[in-house]
Amino acid sequence: MTDAAHDPHENEYDCIISGGGPAGIVAGLLLARGGVRVVVLEKHNDFFRDFRGDTIHPSTLRLLDELGLYNEFARITHRRVTNISLIGDDGQDYILGDLSRLNTPHPFMTIAPQWDFLNLLARAGEDEPGFDLRMGVEMTSLIWDDDRVVGVRAQTPDGEIALRAPLVVAADGRWSKARDEAQLPMRELRSTIDVWWFRVDTAEQLAESIAPRAKGGNVFVAIPRDGHVQMARLIPKGEDARFREQGIEALREAVAETFPALADDVEALEMDDVKLLDVRRNEVKRWFIDGLLCIGDSAHAMSPLGGVGVNLAVQDGVATARLLAESLRSGYVPTRELRRVQRRRLLTTKAVELLQGGIHAMIEPVVHNGGVIRPPAPVLWLVTTFPALTVVLARILGMGVTPEHAPDFALRSPERV
């Protein structure tokens, strides 16, 4: 397919990134530090959004160190989580992944508002002359030259614009327009749950944990924040309407039964506050075509369980910048270079998909039929008999199989921030 002739008044860049989430912002910042003229298009006017993942893993904390941004991040209100655990049949908390065993500068994950994290990266980008973040601008279609993508059309508050570049990076999430227009084939992975997302305002201090809790047939994940707890209730897929028919009192009782400390605070909760997240797990079989590369959720959508999506996306962004900056500066990106990005990131992506599939296999029967979340008996025996093995899960979730370092051109010391 071929678009209309090139308009000389169109905006020219070395790279166009569609989507201002973790993958897009990180890739844009690092590429700009590498001398690439990059524009990041974010359709919203700010980063505040429902269903933003809040867990920042050790791999991302190390990246912030390398970028000279960790000290500034540390001033953001956050909580630390040092282990991944589940409560067994006997009521005991079993540690499955011990992040404190990791050999890394920050052997823990943090729970911090993602919009603060993204704002931090966006401010860092403002210091780079090649970084152009356009908020409130949405990619509407790709521009083609025969079978090669050469740019995008985008809607702005002032009308449609056209932008051209040797590479378009699709970082526009699980409902990626760029990926769909390029007709990249998808493989759906099993998921039989959806998530209700809401908050409970409270002064109570819950334990810092990302582990699901089950009680009386109800399964929740509670994410403590200052002044409130962000709640995720896991429900059977497609059952949103049925659960809403049960009414707000049923939800209040379920929260109070699972988290007694919140019993006095749930009365303020209303059904209008409850948002539905359609949980999907999938992957693109091929992440690229000529002139287009998918990263983050547009390449591999994860469920919220385990809080892995943000950090996979960040690592995709790092690999993209490290492997492609030189070609982008030259003005041409061969397709084999895009294939290198997928190959680099595929092992970690597959490992996390496998691990998350195991988490779903443990939790989904409880969501549908009630009972207790039971880790496989051999796994419990191994981690209780040989505690050092808890570093294996921590390594996969916290760092990835192939963890990414910032390229030399992006390194900064804190004094220069």
Side-chain angles (χ1 to χ4, degrees), residues 28-29 32-33 119-132:
L29 171 61
R33 286 187 174 185
N119 278 320
L120 167 65
L121 296 172
R123 288 195 300 271
E126 292 173 358
D127 296 332
E128 307 300 327
F131 183 83
D132 183 5

Side-chain angles (χ1 to χ4, degrees), residues 17-24 41-44 52 137-142 152 168-181 292-299:
I17 299 176
S18 176
L41 309 179
E42 169 52 46
K43 66 181 180 180
H44 296 97
R52 284 291 200 195
V137 177
E138 181 178 9
M139 190 215 86
T140 54
S141 64
L142 300 171
V152 304
V168 174
V169 175
D172 48 348
R174 63 188 63 219
W175 310 110
S176 170
K177 288 184 178 180
R179 178 199 64 212
D180 291 348
E181 184 176 340
L292 175 71
L293 172 68
C294 295
I295 61 174
D297 280 358
S298 66

Side-chain angles (χ1 to χ4, degrees), residues 154-222:
Q155 188 64 41
T156 79
D158 299 321
E160 187 178 81
I161 59 172
L163 305 97
R164 290 190 177 237
L167 178 66
V168 174
V169 175
D172 48 348
R174 63 188 63 219
W175 310 110
S176 170
K177 288 184 178 180
R179 178 199 64 212
D180 291 348
E181 184 176 340
Q183 298 181 354
L184 293 173
M186 299 285 294
R187 184 170 77 93
E188 295 294 330
L189 305 175
R190 175 182 169 84
S191 175
T192 67
I193 60 171
D194 288 330
V195 167
W196 272 4
W197 189 250
F198 57 94
R199 61 182 278 172
V200 176
D201 293 323
T202 181
E204 297 291 335
Q205 297 294 317
L206 298 189
E208 284 79 11
S209 174
I210 61 168
R213 293 289 183 261
K215 188 72 176 290
N218 302 301
V219 182
F220 291 90
V221 178

